[in-house]
Amino acid sequence: MTTPDASPLRQAARLREAGDLPAATRALDGIDAAADPQAGFAQLRYLFELQDYAGLQQATRQQLAALIRAGAPPDATQWLATLLRFAERCCLPPAEIAAGLDTTRLVALAQPELLLAWRAVRRRQNYREALPARFAGSVSLISLGTNCLPWHMPGRWGLRRMADFTALFGPFSLAGHTIPGMIAALEDDFASYCTPEAIRVVTTARGHEMAMRRDRGAHWNHNRGPYWLGQDATALRASLAAKVELFRAACRRPDAVFLLAGCQVEYPEEKLDFLPRLDAALARFTGHAGNRILVTNQTAHRREAASHQVNATTTFAYCPYPGTDYVWHDDAAADSPAGQAFERGYMLTLIRSLLRWGVLHRLAPPAQA
């Protein structure tokens, strides 16, 4: 008989605390998340923390299937909300997510915290399910930072293929960068991007340790703890090297589009002085100039949402946050009506640019009977 201290969840927690994050995730292999929702939640969070995106996608899909088979437990709000959110982030097939939403509908109606996530996922999936009837074409959306928004948001709203959840997970996807820091990494071909000499470990205001470049051009806020930072951040540097190779391959795709968020420039009053350098730096990876780039400013609150055609292949857009205190990566904020309106506005801006560049094509509405 398994004692509580010997349970997979307890073992995983001890291993994670000791800094062995890979072993912690392995300890949760084969769990029945529907029977042990707490372990299911931990498995998803540990895989996300490990940045094992292939494993996260597989585990999310398996847990969603188990949920659909067994039904939704009435007292598993944390697991169910996380599972639904991860299902859309992992770009799982719409039919599977729809079945998960159907399975959790009645439980969600009785739990406000779950209902908030349920409604937001349902709205995003409605949008995603309508896209194939409205647009044709394909697009590979590659994040250039400066934060994680360009990586997370398009997948949730249906503009990332399921396989691209892993294939397009590049070095700028899950980190913080300055624009000069990102361009310097490209110009240097990532040679000194995350060398031991270039980085130091700092302590955040919340007491977390994280790696940061000494020139403050990049910080890796999703790679905290002894696993990532031990032994001169060996695990971090290995992870970034793998992401750089994914970035190289992604840049060679003919449908590549680059997304840069968090730009503080107020165009057209201020010039986008960095743009020529950025396009030239990307050219070494794509093989050509005139790369398709969407640059967005989220924080100019006095500006209305608006798009500007900078040149034939660059759009600058104001996509202001709902308020100065809005935190786009907070789940409750993102799932709120204001958060949903902000995200939808960003997606409309992106789709208009894709249409202008000819990456997507608008389909004629079906003829009326």
Side-chain angles (χ1 to χ4, degrees):
M1 180 176 179
T2 302
T3 64
D5 284 342
S7 70
L9 182 57
R10 294 291 185 93
Q11 292 178 38
R14 286 196 296 268
L15 289 164
R16 177 176 177 270
E17 177 128 1
D20 196 343
L21 193 53
T25 61
R26 289 194 298 271
L28 296 171
D29 285 348
I31 60 153
D32 182 353
D36 189 352
Q38 191 175 2
F41 169 77
Q43 183 184 46
L44 298 181
R45 297 306 306 180
Y46 288 6
L47 286 165
F48 177 77
E49 187 177 341
L50 184 61
Q51 297 187 21
D52 178 358
Y53 268 32
L56 176 61
Q57 192 177 59
Q58 180 182 27
T60 302
R61 200 172 190 184
Q62 290 173 344
Q63 288 194 23
L64 190 64
L67 166 71
I68 294 166
R69 287 194 304 269
D75 54 351
T77 298
Q78 187 180 49
W79 173 58
L80 294 175
T82 300
L83 179 57
L84 291 176
R85 287 167 174 149
F86 274 45
E88 61 175 4
R89 289 178 183 176
C90 292
C91 312
L92 298 190
E96 296 179 19
I97 298 178
L101 288 165
D102 287 345
T103 303
T104 53
R105 183 176 65 86
L106 292 179
V107 171
L109 289 172
Q111 301 179 22
E113 182 183 346
L114 177 57
L115 186 60
L116 179 70
W118 191 95
R119 285 175 169 166
V121 173
R122 179 66 276 173
R123 290 190 198 101
R124 294 187 190 105
Q125 289 303 302
N126 286 343
Y127 190 92
R128 180 186 180 193
E129 291 164 8
L131 288 176
R134 298 175 60 196
F135 306 108
S138 66
V139 60
S140 296
L141 297 173
I142 303 172
S143 175
L144 295 177
T146 59
N147 54 34
C148 310
L149 185 151
W151 170 250
H152 282 305
M153 199 177 299
R156 297 205 303 248
W157 287 84
L159 280 186
R160 180 171 294 121
R161 294 170 288 245
M162 184 175 169
D164 286 346
F165 178 68
T166 52
L168 299 184
F169 188 36
F172 307 120
S173 297
L174 214 60
H177 292 80
T178 63
I179 292 176
M182 176 267 294
I183 294 175
L186 295 172
E187 291 176 333
D188 188 40
D189 198 15
F190 297 97
S192 59
Y193 178 53
C194 190
T195 59
E197 301 77 21
I199 64 173
R200 63 192 178 101
V201 175
V202 300
T203 303
T204 69
R206 294 186 176 183
H208 300 299
E209 289 189 334
M210 71 176 182
M212 173 185 285
R213 278 187 56 90
R214 293 184 183 276
D215 61 9
R216 299 179 181 271
H219 64 270
W220 293 277
N221 51 309
H222 286 277
N223 301 84
R224 300 195 298 259
Y227 169 72
W228 289 112
L229 302 180
Q231 299 179 321
D232 270 341
T234 298
L236 171 62
R237 287 185 283 111
S239 174
L240 289 172
K243 291 177 183 178
V244 167
E245 291 310 307
L246 291 175
F247 181 81
R248 295 185 199 282
C251 286
R252 293 192 290 270
R253 295 186 180 192
D255 62 352
V257 169
F258 298 92
L259 305 182
L260 174 61
C263 176
Q264 300 300 308
V265 175
E266 296 202 26
Y267 183 84
E269 293 88 347
E270 299 175 329
K271 294 182 179 179
L272 296 169
D273 292 334
F274 64 85
L275 194 58
R277 276 185 63 199
L278 175 57
D279 189 48
L282 287 172
R284 72 180 298 161
F285 295 92
T286 63
H288 60 83
N291 293 283
R292 295 176 289 248
I293 307 170
L294 171 63
V295 182
T296 56
N297 181 326
Q298 275 70 49
T299 55
H301 299 296
R302 70 179 184 275
R303 309 293 293 248
E304 296 291 330
S307 294
H308 300 271
Q309 184 174 331
V310 180
N311 56 43
T313 56
T314 307
T315 299
F316 178 93
Y318 291 100
C319 301
Y321 291 136
T324 56
D325 60 346
Y326 181 75
V327 181
W328 72 267
H329 52 81
D330 177 82
D331 285 332
D335 290 346
S336 70
Q340 292 282 284
F342 160 70
E343 292 190 358
R344 188 179 179 91
Y346 178 91
M347 291 302 300
L348 289 172
T349 297
L350 173 56
I351 287 175
R352 290 189 188 108
S353 292
L354 299 178
L355 290 168
R356 181 166 66 84
W357 295 329
V359 182
L360 291 185
H361 307 277
R362 199 180 299 275
L363 296 174
Q368 296 292 324

